Amino acid sequence: MQSTRIPYKTDDYGNPIYARVSWSTATQSPRPIALIYHGGGLMVGSSEMIPKPQTEYRCSKGFLVVAPNYRLVPQVSGRQAFADAVYAYDWTTTDLPKLLQAEHSLEIDSAQIVAMGHSSGGTLALHIASCRSLKAATAFYPSLFLADPTTSMHRPTTAPPFGLMPDFTPTKEDSASIEPAGLQVSEAPLAIPGSIPQPRNKWQMHVIKHGQWPQTAQPDGDYAAMDPMTRVSARWPPVMIVQGEMDDVPGGGLELAERAEREMRAAGVREVVLEVVPGERHMFDLSPTVGTVDTGPKWEAVVRGLEWLKRHVSVKYD
């Protein structure tokens, strides 16, 4: 597998925002595109979060894999992060094929494009399904129904890890780290278990713990801007949701995934599949062992989600 980082846009200060682009050198052209959005609640994360086994699997099936970063809250709103996700799609289907043809002699079939993502990245994949042309979308444990004020994202939580974290009031130095001058953050690591969390991680945990995520991510209260389920229609491509049975992270969970399945079917989405992973919680697939030494039920569920995408491109690759 070959991989490179390519700037696809700049922030408001002119700093580059990168997408990681990967492909197999053994695959014949033309390649379909798999667009993958990382999770992190629009507050943390980067393309480096995308599990390597999943990228390798997609590449081995002939896909060009594009994992874009996007600007993170609070320097931008969730609406702007969603706009970056759409911009990444547009760049991937227009500018990137020409760039790869010129620099690597790769032929890309930009009409054959699928999207997937993890957590809030799954929500971004569904957003792309609502406003751009896709062959299929797979959302791993997405955040759903943000525009519904009765859902868990709008309430305080005791669920780990958020409920276990002490309250956090940023110092002046912390605030400068969270919102650095002259840079809109588009890459921020997740908190690593056993290590001291960075100010941004502490801040994110505090916001979610106290049910303040919606108003922090979208201060104007237009939560529908971040809720693709308000735009579900028969024009959507086939959709699969891969959902851990025991997921209790605010904004997600099996109950909301089942509701999404019902509403997509009622709206006329032509194919909808809910893949429930027994006994698993949020981010069950992000451990580096899943897909490497652990190829059991968790990896098998991931593969079903990835194969769903492969089945919906019109040209089959092996």
Side-chain angles (χ1 to χ4, degrees), residues 226-270:
M226 300 185 296
D227 185 354
M229 293 306 299
T230 64
R231 299 180 288 280
V232 66
S233 77
R235 294 188 298 273
W236 278 32
V239 174
M240 173 183 273
I241 296 176
V242 181
Q243 178 64 55
E245 177 188 28
M246 305 303 292
D247 187 349
D248 58 358
V249 165
L254 181 56
E255 181 180 352
L256 291 180
E258 291 173 336
R259 176 181 166 185
E261 179 190 24
R262 292 193 301 271
E263 293 197 10
M264 283 188 281
R265 290 186 185 279
V269 178
R270 63 183 180 272

Side-chain angles (χ1 to χ4, degrees), residues 81-106:
F82 272 55
D84 286 352
V86 175
Y87 191 102
Y89 171 100
D90 292 342
W91 172 82
T92 295
T93 55
T94 55
D95 296 342
L96 181 60
K98 292 178 286 187
L99 178 65
L100 293 177
Q101 175 65 47
E103 295 190 1
H104 299 281
S105 298
L106 297 179

Side-chain angles (χ1 to χ4, degrees), residues 1-214:
M1 184 180 76
Q2 188 165 338
S3 184
T4 185
R5 273 165 53 93
I6 303 175
Y8 76 93
K9 69 170 295 184
T10 60
D11 70 13
D12 290 344
Y13 299 101
N15 302 296
I17 301 175
Y18 289 91
R20 179 164 292 282
V21 181
S22 307
W23 64 91
S24 170
T25 56
T27 301
Q28 297 298 311
S29 294
R31 292 165 169 80
I33 299 168
L35 192 58
I36 304 181
Y37 295 100
H38 70 79
L42 307 183
M43 294 177 166
V44 300
S46 76
S47 62
E48 301 308 306
M49 282 176 54
I50 306 299
K52 186 177 179 182
Q54 295 184 28
T55 299
E56 290 177 336
Y57 189 94
R58 289 263 53 84
C59 290
S60 74
K61 299 301 179 180
F63 281 86
L64 177 83
V65 176
V66 181
N69 294 323
Y70 45 87
R71 292 172 296 169
L72 300 173
V73 173
Q75 290 168 303
V76 299
S77 69
R79 181 189 289 106
Q80 289 169 290
F82 272 55
D84 286 352
V86 175
Y87 191 102
Y89 171 100
D90 292 342
W91 172 82
T92 295
T93 55
T94 55
D95 296 342
L96 181 60
K98 292 178 286 187
L99 178 65
L100 293 177
Q101 175 65 47
E103 295 190 1
H104 299 281
S105 298
L106 297 179
E107 186 177 351
I108 309 303
D109 186 352
S110 59
Q112 302 296 318
I113 182 168
V114 298
M116 62 172 280
H118 305 83
S119 192
S120 57
T123 311
L124 291 174
L126 295 178
H127 176 61
I128 298 300
S130 78
C131 64
R132 291 294 187 269
S133 176
L134 291 175
K135 294 298 183 181
T138 295
F140 286 82
Y141 40 87
S143 298
L144 295 164
F145 298 104
L146 180 63
D148 181 350
T150 69
T151 59
S152 56
M153 185 60 85
H154 295 265
R155 302 193 300 268
T157 183
T158 58
F162 314 105
L164 303 179
M165 292 292 291
D167 287 350
F168 176 64
T169 301
T171 65
K172 183 177 180 180
E173 291 75 16
D174 292 334
S175 296
S177 171
I178 295 167
E179 301 187 65
L183 170 69
Q184 291 174 325
V185 175
S186 60
E187 298 181 68
L190 284 175
I192 300 174
S195 65
I196 299 175
Q198 297 298 309
R200 177 175 285 267
N201 302 120
K202 294 178 182 179
W203 166 75
Q204 180 203 28
M205 296 287 185
H206 178 95
V207 166
I208 295 176
K209 174 183 176 181
H210 290 278
Q212 298 168 350
W213 188 91

